[in-house]
């Protein structure tokens, strides 16, 4: 992907829904919670994907006036990544980042009620000072819990935003509704039938009714409602929706 500070359009991840041959360079997100393939910088999302701005200067105007929030918290950094399951709020408009059936990042409109929560996958557990257990989530969050045995890697938490209170614990078990974030069925939903743990270097596998895949491609969501993951073209809003720019 090149150096840590620069990124050419020809080398940008395939998950970014942007044309490759318009300009040479593209904004690279700052290192953070999400991997490069599963997030886009807020500058590109506002300007090139959602169309709320015509230039990076207008994006800075939006951010510096506190009109943009990620997971309920004001964002003023143009290179901050907006990744999988994140909630982006622009004024009264709310969007959730999901993957479509081609594995591309999409920012779908959601209601204000849906913007008050998000689902996070538990990537690991660790013991911290005082013998407490810390859950490490897919978006970089760390949640401290009392009962370590109740939570397992692969399960998900439905969190309130921005308080991060646990609303629901979605266990990674048979029958749970899952969202596919990789493989041939990316962007789809299926109910788990079995979970196979490999006692070797091979990846653990999850079986569904018609297919199977590795556990890293599976995101347990339960009854949580996610926006449409189909490939559709959304109407681009006016660039004057969030602020009144001087006429050109």
């Amino acid at each position: 992907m090149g150096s840590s500070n620069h990124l050419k359009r020809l080398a940008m991840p395939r998950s970014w829904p942007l044309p490759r041959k318009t300009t040479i360079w593209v904004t690279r997100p700052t290192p953070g919670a999400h991997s490069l393939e599963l997030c886009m910088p807020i500058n590109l999302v506002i300007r090139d994907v959602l169309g709320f701005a015509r230039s990076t200067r207008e994006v800075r105007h939006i951010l510096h006036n506190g009109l943009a929030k990620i997971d309920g918290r004001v964002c003023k950094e143009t290179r901050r990544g907006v990744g999988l399951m994140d909630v982006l709020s622009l004024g009264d408009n709310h969007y959730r980042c999901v993957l479509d059936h081609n594995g591309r990042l999409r920012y779908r409109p959601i209601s204000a009620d849906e913007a008050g929560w998000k689902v996070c996958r538990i990537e690991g557990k660790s013991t911290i000072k005082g013998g407490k257990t810390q859950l490490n989530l897919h978006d970089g969050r760390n949640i401290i819990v009392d009962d370590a045995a109740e939570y397992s890697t692969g399960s998900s938490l439905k969190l309130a935003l921005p308080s991060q209170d646990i609303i629901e614990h979605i266990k990674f078990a048979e029958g749970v509704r899952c969202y596919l974030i990789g493989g041939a069925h990316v962007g789809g939903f299926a109910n788990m039938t079995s979970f196979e743990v490999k006692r070797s270097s091979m990846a653990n596998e999850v079986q569904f009714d018609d297919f199977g895949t590795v556990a890293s491609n599976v995101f347990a969501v339960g009854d949580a409602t996610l926006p449409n993951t189909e490939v559709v073209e959304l109407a681009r809003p006016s660039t004057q929706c969030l602020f009144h720019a001087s006429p050109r």
Side-chain angles (χ1 to χ4, degrees):
M1 290 295 181
S3 71
S4 60
N5 296 323
H6 302 86
L7 181 63
K8 288 188 175 182
R9 278 186 179 261
L10 289 177
M12 69 182 181
R14 296 178 61 185
S15 60
W16 291 16
L18 300 176
R20 293 184 179 273
K21 296 184 179 181
T22 54
T23 58
I24 296 177
W25 301 101
V26 69
T27 305
R28 185 187 187 100
T30 54
H34 299 279
S35 64
L36 184 64
E37 291 76 17
L38 291 180
C39 76
M40 290 181 63
I42 192 171
N43 175 37
L44 297 182
V45 177
I46 294 176
R47 186 190 67 190
D48 298 338
V49 178
L50 299 178
F52 278 101
R54 294 165 291 189
S55 64
T56 300
R57 181 178 181 180
E58 291 185 354
V59 173
R60 291 195 184 101
H61 184 93
I62 293 172
L63 299 183
H64 290 173
N65 281 277
L67 298 175
K69 296 181 180 180
I70 298 177
D71 292 341
R73 296 184 177 180
V74 175
C75 172
K76 295 190 176 183
E77 171 56 52
T78 58
R79 294 176 58 196
R80 165 74 184 275
V82 185
L84 184 65
M85 296 296 179
D86 284 353
V87 175
L88 173 63
S89 300
L90 299 172
D92 295 328
N93 303 285
H94 306 283
Y95 304 87
R96 190 181 303 280
C97 179
V98 294
L99 290 168
D100 64 19
H101 293 294
N102 292 327
R104 299 289 185 93
L105 293 169
R106 302 292 178 179
Y107 298 84
R108 301 301 192 211
I110 57 176
S111 64
D113 291 338
E114 291 179 303
W117 56 266
K118 70 178 294 188
V119 180
C120 298
R121 184 173 67 180
I122 301 175
E123 299 291 345
K125 300 193 298 183
S126 56
T127 303
I128 60 175
K129 185 177 180 180
K132 297 181 180 179
T133 298
Q134 178 177 269
L135 305 180
N136 313 122
L137 307 184
H138 85 282
D139 63 349
R141 300 172 191 269
N142 296 312
I143 305 294
I144 299 176
V145 295
D146 297 326
D147 188 0
E150 183 180 354
Y151 302 90
S152 61
T153 301
S155 297
S156 300
L157 299 178
K158 186 176 181 180
L159 302 179
L161 298 178
S163 65
Q164 302 190 108
D165 295 331
I166 299 177
I167 300 175
E168 181 184 359
H169 175 209
I170 305 171
K171 295 185 178 181
F172 194 69
E174 295 182 9
V176 68
R177 178 169 170 264
C178 299
Y179 175 55
L180 284 303
I181 60 173
H185 301 272
V186 60
F189 295 89
N191 293 327
M192 183 194 304
T193 58
S194 65
F195 176 49
E196 301 177 5
V197 178
K198 304 292 185 179
R199 301 297 181 182
S200 65
S201 59
M202 297 179 62
N204 296 334
E205 295 183 4
V206 178
Q207 297 296 327
F208 301 96
D209 289 333
D210 302 322
F211 64 95
T213 186
V214 295
S216 59
N217 292 340
V218 180
F219 201 116
V221 295
D223 296 329
T225 303
L226 296 183
N228 182 24
T229 58
E230 297 288 342
V231 182
V232 294
E233 289 296 330
L234 301 177
R236 298 179 72 85
S238 168
T239 56
Q240 308 299 320
C241 288
L242 297 180
F243 64 95
H244 298 286
S246 58
R248 298 185 179 182

